[in-house]
Short mmCIF file of all heavy atoms in Angstrom, two decimals:
data_model
loop_
_atom_site.label_atom_id
_atom_site.label_comp_id
_atom_site.label_asym_id
_atom_site.label_seq_id
_atom_site.Cartn_x
_atom_site.Cartn_y
_atom_site.Cartn_z
N ARG A 33 11.58 2.76 3.47
CA ARG A 33 10.69 3.57 2.64
C ARG A 33 10.36 2.82 1.36
O ARG A 33 11.21 2.23 0.74
CB ARG A 33 11.34 4.89 2.27
CG ARG A 33 11.63 5.74 3.47
CD ARG A 33 12.24 7.03 3.06
NE ARG A 33 12.68 7.74 4.25
CZ ARG A 33 13.24 8.91 4.22
NH1 ARG A 33 13.43 9.52 3.09
NH2 ARG A 33 13.62 9.48 5.32
N LYS A 34 9.11 2.89 0.99
CA LYS A 34 8.65 2.28 -0.24
C LYS A 34 8.45 3.39 -1.26
O LYS A 34 7.76 4.36 -1.00
CB LYS A 34 7.33 1.56 0.01
CG LYS A 34 6.81 0.80 -1.17
CD LYS A 34 5.54 0.07 -0.78
CE LYS A 34 4.98 -0.68 -1.95
NZ LYS A 34 3.74 -1.36 -1.60
N LYS A 35 9.10 3.26 -2.40
CA LYS A 35 9.00 4.29 -3.43
C LYS A 35 7.94 3.89 -4.45
O LYS A 35 7.83 2.74 -4.83
CB LYS A 35 10.34 4.48 -4.12
CG LYS A 35 11.38 5.01 -3.19
CD LYS A 35 12.69 5.25 -3.88
CE LYS A 35 13.68 5.77 -2.86
NZ LYS A 35 14.98 6.01 -3.42
N LEU A 36 7.16 4.87 -4.86
CA LEU A 36 6.08 4.64 -5.80
C LEU A 36 6.15 5.64 -6.94
O LEU A 36 6.55 6.78 -6.74
CB LEU A 36 4.73 4.80 -5.11
CG LEU A 36 4.41 3.84 -3.99
CD1 LEU A 36 3.14 4.28 -3.29
CD2 LEU A 36 4.23 2.45 -4.54
N SER A 37 5.72 5.22 -8.09
CA SER A 37 5.52 6.15 -9.21
C SER A 37 4.05 6.52 -9.23
O SER A 37 3.19 5.66 -9.14
CB SER A 37 5.88 5.48 -10.53
OG SER A 37 7.26 5.50 -10.73
N MET A 38 3.78 7.82 -9.32
CA MET A 38 2.40 8.27 -9.38
C MET A 38 2.35 9.61 -10.09
O MET A 38 3.34 10.31 -10.17
CB MET A 38 1.79 8.36 -7.98
CG MET A 38 2.43 9.36 -7.06
SD MET A 38 1.69 9.44 -5.43
CE MET A 38 2.24 7.94 -4.71
N ASP A 39 1.19 9.95 -10.59
CA ASP A 39 1.03 11.26 -11.22
C ASP A 39 0.71 12.31 -10.16
O ASP A 39 0.55 12.01 -8.98
CB ASP A 39 -0.04 11.21 -12.31
CG ASP A 39 -1.44 10.93 -11.77
OD1 ASP A 39 -1.59 10.68 -10.56
OD2 ASP A 39 -2.39 10.96 -12.57
N GLY A 40 0.65 13.56 -10.59
CA GLY A 40 0.40 14.66 -9.66
C GLY A 40 -0.95 14.58 -8.97
O GLY A 40 -1.08 14.96 -7.81
N ASN A 41 -1.97 14.06 -9.67
CA ASN A 41 -3.29 13.93 -9.06
C ASN A 41 -3.27 12.98 -7.88
O ASN A 41 -3.85 13.26 -6.82
CB ASN A 41 -4.32 13.45 -10.09
CG ASN A 41 -4.76 14.54 -11.02
OD1 ASN A 41 -4.81 15.71 -10.66
ND2 ASN A 41 -5.08 14.18 -12.25
N GLN A 42 -2.60 11.84 -8.04
CA GLN A 42 -2.54 10.87 -6.95
C GLN A 42 -1.71 11.41 -5.78
O GLN A 42 -2.07 11.23 -4.62
CB GLN A 42 -1.99 9.54 -7.43
CG GLN A 42 -2.08 8.45 -6.38
CD GLN A 42 -1.65 7.08 -6.90
OE1 GLN A 42 -1.21 6.94 -8.03
NE2 GLN A 42 -1.79 6.09 -6.07
N ALA A 43 -0.60 12.08 -6.08
CA ALA A 43 0.24 12.65 -5.02
C ALA A 43 -0.54 13.70 -4.23
O ALA A 43 -0.50 13.72 -3.00
CB ALA A 43 1.49 13.25 -5.63
N ALA A 44 -1.26 14.56 -4.93
CA ALA A 44 -2.06 15.58 -4.25
C ALA A 44 -3.17 14.95 -3.42
O ALA A 44 -3.46 15.40 -2.30
CB ALA A 44 -2.66 16.55 -5.26
N ALA A 45 -3.78 13.88 -3.93
CA ALA A 45 -4.83 13.19 -3.18
C ALA A 45 -4.29 12.57 -1.91
O ALA A 45 -4.95 12.60 -0.86
CB ALA A 45 -5.49 12.13 -4.06
N HIS A 46 -3.08 11.99 -1.96
CA HIS A 46 -2.46 11.41 -0.76
C HIS A 46 -2.32 12.45 0.34
O HIS A 46 -2.71 12.21 1.49
CB HIS A 46 -1.07 10.85 -1.09
CG HIS A 46 -1.07 9.44 -1.54
ND1 HIS A 46 -1.31 8.39 -0.70
CD2 HIS A 46 -0.85 8.91 -2.75
CE1 HIS A 46 -1.25 7.26 -1.38
NE2 HIS A 46 -0.98 7.55 -2.64
N VAL A 47 -1.75 13.57 -0.01
CA VAL A 47 -1.50 14.60 1.00
C VAL A 47 -2.80 15.20 1.51
O VAL A 47 -2.99 15.38 2.71
CB VAL A 47 -0.57 15.70 0.42
CG1 VAL A 47 -0.40 16.83 1.40
CG2 VAL A 47 0.78 15.09 0.07
N SER A 48 -3.73 15.49 0.61
CA SER A 48 -4.98 16.09 1.05
C SER A 48 -5.80 15.12 1.90
O SER A 48 -6.44 15.53 2.86
CB SER A 48 -5.81 16.58 -0.13
OG SER A 48 -6.30 15.51 -0.90
N TYR A 49 -5.77 13.82 1.56
CA TYR A 49 -6.52 12.84 2.36
C TYR A 49 -5.99 12.79 3.79
O TYR A 49 -6.75 12.63 4.74
CB TYR A 49 -6.44 11.45 1.72
CG TYR A 49 -7.40 10.46 2.34
CD1 TYR A 49 -8.69 10.32 1.85
CD2 TYR A 49 -7.03 9.67 3.44
CE1 TYR A 49 -9.58 9.43 2.42
CE2 TYR A 49 -7.92 8.79 4.01
CZ TYR A 49 -9.19 8.67 3.50
OH TYR A 49 -10.08 7.79 4.07
N ALA A 50 -4.69 12.94 3.92
CA ALA A 50 -4.08 12.85 5.25
C ALA A 50 -4.59 13.92 6.20
O ALA A 50 -4.75 13.67 7.39
CB ALA A 50 -2.55 12.96 5.12
N PHE A 51 -4.88 15.11 5.68
CA PHE A 51 -5.23 16.23 6.55
C PHE A 51 -6.65 16.72 6.34
O PHE A 51 -6.95 17.88 6.60
CB PHE A 51 -4.25 17.38 6.30
CG PHE A 51 -2.85 17.03 6.71
CD1 PHE A 51 -1.91 16.69 5.76
CD2 PHE A 51 -2.49 17.01 8.04
CE1 PHE A 51 -0.62 16.33 6.13
CE2 PHE A 51 -1.21 16.65 8.43
CZ PHE A 51 -0.27 16.32 7.46
N THR A 52 -7.53 15.85 5.88
CA THR A 52 -8.90 16.25 5.59
C THR A 52 -9.87 15.49 6.48
O THR A 52 -9.72 14.30 6.71
CB THR A 52 -9.23 15.95 4.11
OG1 THR A 52 -8.37 16.73 3.31
CG2 THR A 52 -10.65 16.27 3.77
N GLU A 53 -10.89 16.19 6.97
CA GLU A 53 -11.98 15.54 7.69
C GLU A 53 -13.20 15.41 6.79
O GLU A 53 -13.94 14.43 6.90
CB GLU A 53 -12.33 16.36 8.93
CG GLU A 53 -11.21 16.40 9.96
CD GLU A 53 -11.53 17.34 11.10
OE1 GLU A 53 -11.66 18.56 10.85
OE2 GLU A 53 -11.64 16.84 12.23
N VAL A 54 -13.43 16.39 5.91
CA VAL A 54 -14.56 16.39 4.99
C VAL A 54 -14.05 16.73 3.59
O VAL A 54 -13.24 17.63 3.44
CB VAL A 54 -15.63 17.42 5.42
CG1 VAL A 54 -16.76 17.48 4.42
CG2 VAL A 54 -16.16 17.10 6.81
N ALA A 55 -14.54 16.01 2.59
CA ALA A 55 -14.20 16.31 1.20
C ALA A 55 -15.50 16.56 0.44
O ALA A 55 -16.31 15.66 0.29
CB ALA A 55 -13.42 15.18 0.57
N GLY A 56 -15.69 17.79 -0.01
CA GLY A 56 -16.84 18.14 -0.84
C GLY A 56 -16.43 18.03 -2.29
O GLY A 56 -15.61 18.81 -2.75
N ILE A 57 -16.94 17.04 -3.01
CA ILE A 57 -16.43 16.78 -4.36
C ILE A 57 -17.52 16.90 -5.42
O ILE A 57 -18.69 16.66 -5.15
CB ILE A 57 -15.76 15.39 -4.46
CG1 ILE A 57 -16.77 14.26 -4.21
CG2 ILE A 57 -14.59 15.28 -3.52
CD1 ILE A 57 -16.24 12.87 -4.50
N TYR A 58 -17.08 17.29 -6.58
CA TYR A 58 -17.86 17.20 -7.80
C TYR A 58 -16.84 16.79 -8.86
O TYR A 58 -16.11 17.63 -9.38
CB TYR A 58 -18.53 18.52 -8.17
CG TYR A 58 -19.22 18.45 -9.52
CD1 TYR A 58 -20.33 17.63 -9.70
CD2 TYR A 58 -18.75 19.18 -10.60
CE1 TYR A 58 -20.96 17.55 -10.93
CE2 TYR A 58 -19.39 19.11 -11.83
CZ TYR A 58 -20.48 18.29 -11.99
OH TYR A 58 -21.10 18.20 -13.21
#
Side-chain angles (χ1 to χ4, degrees):
R33 298 181 188 181
K34 184 177 179 182
K35 295 182 181 179
L36 297 171
S37 280
M38 63 180 72
D39 65 355
N41 283 329
Q42 187 174 4
H46 271 288
V47 175
S48 69
Y49 191 90
F51 295 102
T52 297
E53 295 173 296
V54 176
I57 64 172
Y58 174 66

